[in-house]
Each structure stands twice: as structure tokens, then as C-alpha cells.
Amino acid sequence: MDYKFKFSIIMAVYNVEAYLEEAVESLVNQTIGFDCVQVILVDDGSPDNSGAICDAIKAKYPSNIVVVHKENGGVSSARNEGLKHIEGKYVNCMDPDDILTKNTLENVYSFFEKNYNATDVVGIPIVMFGDTNGPHYLNDKFARGTRVINLQKEVNYFQLSCSCAFIKNEIAKSIRFDESLTVAEDAQQMIRILINKPFLGVVSGCHYGYRKHAGSALSNGLKKCWYNDYIYSFILPSIEYAKEKYGYVPRFVQNALMSNLQWRLSEKARPACLDENELKQYKDGLALCFKEFDDDIIMKQKHCSSDNRAALIATKYQSKDFITKETNDILLGFDSHNLSRLSNTTFSLDFLEINEDSIILSARKTFFTLYGNVTDGFIKIGDNTVKSTKVEYMDHGVFLGDAITKDAIFEFIIPRELLAKENKISFYVECDGINVENKNINFGTFFPLQKRYKSSYYFENGLLFKLAKSSLVVSKAKNAKKYERKLLKELWKSNKLGERKAVFARILAKIYKLFHRKPIWIISDRVNKSGDNGEAFFRHLKSIKFKGAKYYYAIGKCPSYYSMKKLGNVIDCHSLKYKIMHLACELIISAQADINVYDPFPHYSQPYKDIITRKKFIFLQHGIIKDDLSDWLNKYNKNITGFICSVEKEYESIVNGNYHYDEKNVWLTGLARFDRLYRDEKKYITIMPTWRKYLMSHIDNQTGIWQEKPGFTESNYFTFYNNLINDKRVLDVAVKHGYTICFMPHPNTITKIDLFTKNKNVKFYTVNDEYREVYAQSDLILTDYSSSVFDFVYLRKPIFYTHFDKEEFIKGDHAYIPGYFDYERDGFGEVVYDYESTVKTLIEYMENGCNLKDKYRERIDSFFAFNDKNNCQRTLDKILVLK
């Protein structure tokens, strides 16, 4: 058969104006010659300028560019339209935001011509670029170079993406992408092609450049199609298709499908887009899939956690034989699958408290819920047994809202009178009447020992702690000089730069501490801005001329650094001196709870773990907690000694919630910065939205600034506020009544303020402007979900809320879990839900003099625990009674 071109490349074009020309250019520059390549651009009703770019490319290369404009129907619809026009011998469905290396088509064509009868599909390696860089995890099939793989023999390999694959013209003409599918539409066709002819060609020495960016399909939020459509329209039909062909499911098909499924098995929370019936349907569908896969296929999926693999096997068999009870242990598994023994699941020592008359050890035992319930814990010290004083439970491994593994939390109080000169402490748990010794002892983030160094030790109050195999050894000692020398020697011998630096840092910290007779306190806010509770507390200590400690304010060298420097005792938090001082200090007092606050060595802290975990962390807060932040601020993640609260309901939500703090750690004192609030109204109307974590890619640890993802300026968030600050109706009413519209986004997005359209009638705040001043000068604040406005209402000033993106915000990646505070019931102003209502309410407030309504004044008066300026002193009083 004669073909007009060697290749036909189909591109389903939608919203890719920024990348389309680069994608086509990578085809134009192919070493095989562009005259051998047909490019079919299917404009799928793209709302941006992509369609016009397609036409411009057609005009430039009229002989081998085909352009089709159609109504939007999705990628499958666009590819099906493109298949009608193919005239090349080999066909590819390249994504229009990706690229091919120059030699790709020449290499693929040469290979296909030599192996035409051996395979119907040829794949090439994927290399990611853009937001994520590096080779794709499935590139291992190219390790042995260019060849044809017999999938029946090498079952670990597969090809499910059509973007980085090439197929024969006659095969391409026989397929039709399922237009009802929006995920796995290409995988559905590729698996069928390989089921019919299980030989895959792989070509190395070139690659497919896969661009990862915020606008790509796989980067967008999960929808219903990710779940039941995927199972019932792709996985299960593929299984049936294989059975029809072979009478069974070949292992390479099992592996291909299971490898795709494994990514869905890390999802913890119940999908918000599924109702109860849909969720049950999804779980039932998963169970049907697992029953078709061999045990070893399930067990070898390396991107699926051991918790989930065990749960899958158990789901598949649903048999009591899965659990074997022995005399001193419980086995999870059967036949050759010894998945786990209770004795070997992690037993983590988390916290250590040394008192004059006792030692308090806090620990967690991770166990599969399939074992039954771990009901108790106890320890043995020689002939003595000490039972746990309490047992609590916390979900550990969760899939779709169901706990696969849990943590049993214990607290052991060991009287000092039980301790001899040297003591071996062994740990046990009780499960279904069986006492099991824990043989896998690990250390939590805040326990001072570690396994990395054989010389790891901890010394405090005459007791020295070390690990010996599966036991904790506690010895009485006068000092730890010889143990410190051993640790320093081990660090030096490691011959690693970071660990050799640690030798000097540990020595310098001890010397520094010797020259400071008073305890050292480090106080801070953000690394790039003062003005929060840290500054307020620092100023209070200065004002009362506090002499009980040597205290410093830590901040990076930004404008705030130089203004704070005038007060004295200010240190650059990026300096070597700060790190040494941090090692020497007793208290960390901060309005922030990011890791760099309590650990100045976040990526190489192991040599300092015993020192860092000794310190007490006072969390001054940077707002009032109204939502459930227990996933972030719980004791196992932050270990806060003094957790500041300002509201009784806030206090109760932390003490009684999933934060795992005792009452002694949660302090109802009020925010320090409330003491510095004042009034100086200048008829400012301030629009003050919070940020959206799902619009950011990562945080720069040096600057503390979040970097936005591509597509930020096209987001609902940006569009809403950009329109609002330029709305002629709002600006005209403001001028009429003498108001100035001001715009002050959250600190994590205020650095992007130049992306917003500047209006001469709007005051744009900068990162250097103080919130305190903003609150003083503003007559009204409009926010969405920000907790910073609590400061404003503390002054008895009016606010209102716009929740225009409520569904997106709640379901987005913003760690938003509603708490005790309900905006409609408890809020201090109206709640509106769309743009027009926001504009209308804003205008109404300006026309009525921005007065606080009686309804909301009553709410404010009853909300705060204190309404004075003694918050700093109450916090200091709590600190001073710490032991």
C-alpha cells in the first residue's frame, strides 16, 4: 500500500496557545525531513487563540498541514476527527503542549521498517519538563535498548499512552476513541492493540518531551470520571476483552492495569465528588478488578504502599484464614505471602519527658485493622511491668475514608525508683488477648534518639538514653562527655561535609551557651516580614525591661530587619550565628509553625536531633484558628509546648480535637498583636483575600515566598479580584462618598500583586505594609476566608465575606477542613456567594457610612475571651511557669 507520508501526527488542540508553535516546531525540525510528516491539527473549539495559530501554521506549511475546526467535544472526539484524515504509514497522537527530540521520527521509522511484521506498536521514552523534570518512571523498558519485547514473557512492561507511541496506519484506522471517557481513553485502545498482538517495539536514543504544567489535564482537580468511568469503562472492559481473546487475563495485561490502578490507591479521603452510592459502586468495582489479578502482581506494585497492598489481598480473598494467631505474635498473610507480623510493624517512640520522680514515654504502635484491635501496651524493666496509663487511637493508613492501619497511642509513666544503674526497657502490646513484643523500634520526629548514628544518645537530669536492638537502654550518669566525644568522632569519620560541620556547630553551641548565663529565647514572625505576634511579644519584653532571659528577634535581611534592628537584639535568621544560637537556646517563640522555625537545618538536621528536640516551642499563632488544622498542627507534626488561643471555642476545638495536646499545652491568653491595635480611620475600604494553596507550586525556604503555578492569572481567584478592584461601579461610589479602595492580598500572594491590573484610583499595599496600620486606617474590610480580619473586628469595625469560589476552595488542595466556626451563624458580617452580590454589598456599606451593625457587634462582644491589651503579659506569665 502506498502512503503519502511516512508519519501522520494528530494533535487535539485546546487552550494551548502558549505551547502549540513549539510543539509543531519540534516536528518541523525532525531529521527525517518535515516533508515526510503530515500534521493534523484539530481545533476542538478552543476558546483561546489556538485556532488562529493552527491556521497560521497551515498557511506556512500548506502541503502537509491539515486543520480541522470543530465544536468542543473532548480529546477523544478530536482524535477521532483527526483519524479520518491520516495519510501516513505510521500514526501518533502527540499532545500539542509537548515536543519530540529531533531524531525521534527517523529512529522510529527505521525500526518499524525493519520490524514491520513483528509489532503493531512502538514506544519511545518519556522525559518530563516544565513544573516537573526528569525521566518517567516507566522508562525501565528501554534499559536494554531498542528491541521488540514479547509481553507474554516479559510481563512487567506495557505501553498505555498513545502520545509517546506510534502505530501502523491500518491499526489506527480500525480504532475509535471512546468519547464518553475523559480519562484513560488512549489506554483503552492501546491495551486492546497489545492484547491482539502482545509484542511491543521500544526505541531508545530519542524521547518524547512531556510538559508538566498547571493547565495540563492530569494536573487539574479530580472529577467523577476519575473513579467509576475509569473502572467500569476501562479496567473491567479491558479484563473482559482479554478473557474473550485468551480465556484468561494474561499477566502482562494484569500488570498494565494494576500499575495504572495503584496511583488511585493512595487517596485517603472519601472523594467529595462521589455520593454514598457512587462511592460504594467504586469500591465494588475495585474489588472486582483485584479478583482478576494474581497475588504477586498486586504485591510487586512499588508505588502502592504496603498498607494498601495488604488491604487489596485481604479484599480479594475476604477470608479469616488471612489472619494467623500464634502464641506470641499475629501473622497477616497466607501461603507464601507473609505480608506482616504484628511484632514487626512500627513501634514509634515519640516523646520523652524527664521529671524528678518519673520518666514519661509516649509511643505509637502501627497495626493493620485486619489484626483486630490493639487494646493495651506495657513495658518490662527487669522483673517489673509498667502498663500504659492511657490508650488512644489515630488513623494511620487510610483509603477512601476507611482506616487500613491505625496507631494505638500509649503513655508510660516509669517511676525513677524502678531504675537501677542500667536498665533495658522492652515494649509490648496486647491484641486479641495475645501479648506481642515490639521488635521494630523507631523514633518519631521529636524523640531525641535516632538510628542513623550508632553513637546516638540523649542525656538529661542524670539519665542517659540509648537504643540497643529492639530495646531502650536507660543508664544513670553524672554527665555525657564521653558519649558526646563518641558521637563527634562518628560524625567526623563519616567524611561528609554536613556532618563534619555539625562537629564544629555542636562545640560552638556549647561554648556560646557557657557565655550566656541566662536562658536564650528566639522570637520570630515570617522570615521576610515582621508585624505579627512575634514582634508584639518582643516589643512587650522590651517595654517592661524583662531581665529573665536573653531574647532575640530573628528575621531575614528585608526592610523589616532594618526597622526592627533599631530595637536591638535582632539577628539575621539566615546567618551562621543564628544557627549556633538556635542550638544554644531554650525557647522558640514564633507566630509561624513552619519547619524552619523550630529546625534551622530542615534538610540535614540528623546530627542535631538530640539538641533540637530538647527545645520548647511557643506558638504565638498568626491568627485565630476557626477551621480544623489538626492535620498540620497536631502534636506529632509540631510538638507545641504552648499553643496560644484567643477564643474559648478555639481552645476547646484544640483540646478536644485531633491535635493530641493536653490542657497544659493549650493557653487561652489572646494574640499578642491585639495589644498594639489602634484606630486611625482614613476612609479606606480594604479588600483582603486569603491565598489559594492549589494555585501555588512550592515555597522558597530562603525567602519564604510561594511561587505561583502557570495559569495563575487565568484562575477564578485572580479573575474575581482583578475585576473587583477595577469595577467602575465600585470605584464611582467610592469617589462619591470619599472612600479609597485598597487591595491587600495574603502575604503568600502579595508578592504577585504586580500581576493585577493597576488602577490609579486603587491603593495597592506591598509586602512591607503593616497589617496593624491597615486595620487602623480602614473603615471596612472585605475578605473571603481570611482569619486575619479577627484583628479588625477586635476594634469593633465592620467586615463582610465573599465566598464566590466556595466549592473550589473547600475541595481544592488548601488543607481546608471546617471547624467550629460557621460563617453564616458566627460570622461578623454578611456572606455573599457571587460577584454581583459582592459589588452590591460593598456599595451598600459605602452608602451607609460603613457602620458596624448591632447584630454583628453582639457576636463580636461574645466571641473573644479577652477584650483588653494584656495579651502579651498573659503569654509571658504562662512561659515563666514552664518547667
Side-chain angles (χ1 to χ4, degrees), residues 482-498:
K482 69 176 182 179
Y483 299 98
E484 177 70 8
R485 287 195 294 269
K486 285 181 180 179
L487 178 59
L488 295 179
K489 187 175 181 180
E490 183 178 351
L491 290 173
W492 188 263
K493 282 188 173 181
S494 71
N495 205 27
K496 293 180 180 178
L497 180 60

Side-chain angles (χ1 to χ4, degrees), residues 349 361 423-425 427 447 449 465-466 470-474:
L349 295 176
L361 285 170
N423 311 269
K424 175 183 174 184
I425 301 177
F427 298 89
F447 199 86
L449 295 180
F465 298 79
K466 291 182 68 69
S470 59
S471 300
L472 184 67
V473 176
V474 184

